[in-house]
Amino acid sequence: MEIETNGTRIHVKDQGSGALALVFLHYYGGSSRTWDGVAAALPDRYRIVATDHRGWGDSAAPADGYGIADLAADAEGVIEALGLEHYVLVGHSMGGKVAQCIASRRPGGLEGLVLVAPAPPTPAVLTDEQRATLAGAYQSRESVEFVIDHVLSARPLDATLREQVIEDSLKAAPQAKAAWPNVAMLEDIGAAVTSIDVPTIVVCGEHDQVDRVSTLQAELLPRIPHAQMHILPGTGHLSPLEAPGELARIIARFVAAIEDKTAR
């Protein structure tokens, strides 16, 4: 499905028909299909919506507009176009920072927030060399494979998932690849996220080298003090691919608790 929003075209996977929707926002390097394993392991009573950020997957790739507010506006447009009245945002890494931005605005219909290995709301502290390395991480098959093995994952991915990560990483538009390390990662939404008031969980991989547990404990949790943290043992940054079943169980428990509270 293609949805025109915020001056661009966003590709959306929409399945199920439950009253509560789970809206999935992917990481830097991924696409809507990053969530396929998690979606398959969730109870079928939920509507599952997963987007490709602009410049990623099968979405259009405009020349500019890759800041956090732009990506948030794209997702908000999808939510509005689909008429979602009750939903939970699930954001991974870059998508986690976008989800924080959306939730900070307290939109009507938002029932909860799941942050999976989220980028913190404060600017990432990187040297120029580190930023250049990150910007070049998805330029060739060899560079993607190196990042998978040495940075992104702690558990080995099977051949199909490994190929999916390589394809998604290479497919993205150059401007989308450049914008995260050079623009969006450096944005500071730390003050804004203090207004998040919906139930929130933060799910971290024990061995995540990208958005480390210690970083999130220092930069995110003090700003969303009601958030609960869950640590996935033996897992790296790619928990939706490394541990989809475990992640789905955490999400399902969290969402069920929201539903129980709403029903009272």
Side-chain angles (χ1 to χ4, degrees):
M1 175 191 300
E2 311 294 323
I3 292 178
E4 296 289 335
T5 170
N6 193 30
T8 191
R9 176 183 52 77
I10 299 298
H11 177 74
V12 180
K13 295 175 73 170
D14 183 11
Q15 55 188 313
S17 57
L20 183 67
L22 308 184
V23 179
F24 291 87
L25 306 175
H26 68 79
Y27 77 105
Y28 173 71
S31 72
S32 54
R33 64 179 180 164
T34 299
W35 299 105
D36 286 353
V38 176
L42 285 167
D44 59 9
R45 68 176 182 272
Y46 302 121
R47 184 175 182 179
I48 304 293
V49 175
T51 72
D52 292 340
H53 296 297
R54 60 171 62 196
W56 297 91
D58 292 323
S59 287
D64 51 25
Y66 291 87
I68 293 299
D70 300 300
L71 302 182
D74 291 347
E76 289 168 328
V78 168
I79 291 165
E80 181 179 0
L82 294 177
L84 304 183
E85 297 181 354
H86 302 283
Y87 63 95
V88 171
L89 279 173
V90 186
H92 178 210
S93 193
M94 177 177 76
K97 191 168 184 177
V98 175
Q100 292 168 60
C101 178
I102 296 170
S104 73
R105 299 170 181 168
R106 298 183 176 181
L110 179 63
E111 306 283 350
L113 181 62
V114 180
L115 301 174
V116 181
T122 47
V125 180
L126 297 175
T127 65
D128 289 343
E129 182 180 1
Q130 289 172 321
R131 190 169 296 112
T133 299
L134 182 56
Y138 299 149
Q139 299 306 313
S140 68
R141 183 181 186 89
E142 292 72 26
S143 64
V144 177
E145 291 198 282
F146 179 88
V147 172
I148 292 171
D149 293 334
H150 298 280
V151 180
L152 292 177
S153 64
R155 302 186 191 186
L157 303 179
D158 68 34
T160 301
L161 284 180
R162 186 180 180 88
E163 191 61 31
Q164 175 182 307
V165 172
I166 294 168
E167 289 176 0
D168 284 347
S169 301
L170 294 178
K171 184 176 182 178
Q175 60 270 34
K177 294 179 187 180
W180 174 244
N182 294 305
V183 180
M185 183 182 273
L186 306 180
E187 292 185 55
D188 190 348
I189 60 170
V193 301
T194 61
S195 67
I196 294 174
D197 61 353
V198 292
T200 303
I201 56 170
V202 182
V203 185
C204 309
E206 178 188 13
H207 301 308
D208 193 327
Q209 298 181 61
V210 179
D211 295 303
R212 300 175 184 271
V213 172
S214 58
T215 301
L216 296 174
Q217 287 172 332
E219 297 296 329
L220 177 60
L221 293 184
R223 293 174 170 84
I224 314 177
H226 66 276
Q228 301 294 313
M229 177 177 275
H230 295 262
I231 297 177
L232 289 171
T235 306
H237 189 59
L238 298 183
S239 52
L241 301 171
E242 296 178 66
E246 294 164 67
L247 180 55
R249 284 191 288 275
I250 292 172
I251 293 172
R253 283 198 301 268
F254 173 72
V255 174
I258 292 174
E259 291 177 308
D260 288 344
K261 188 173 181 180
T262 304
R264 288 177 195 155

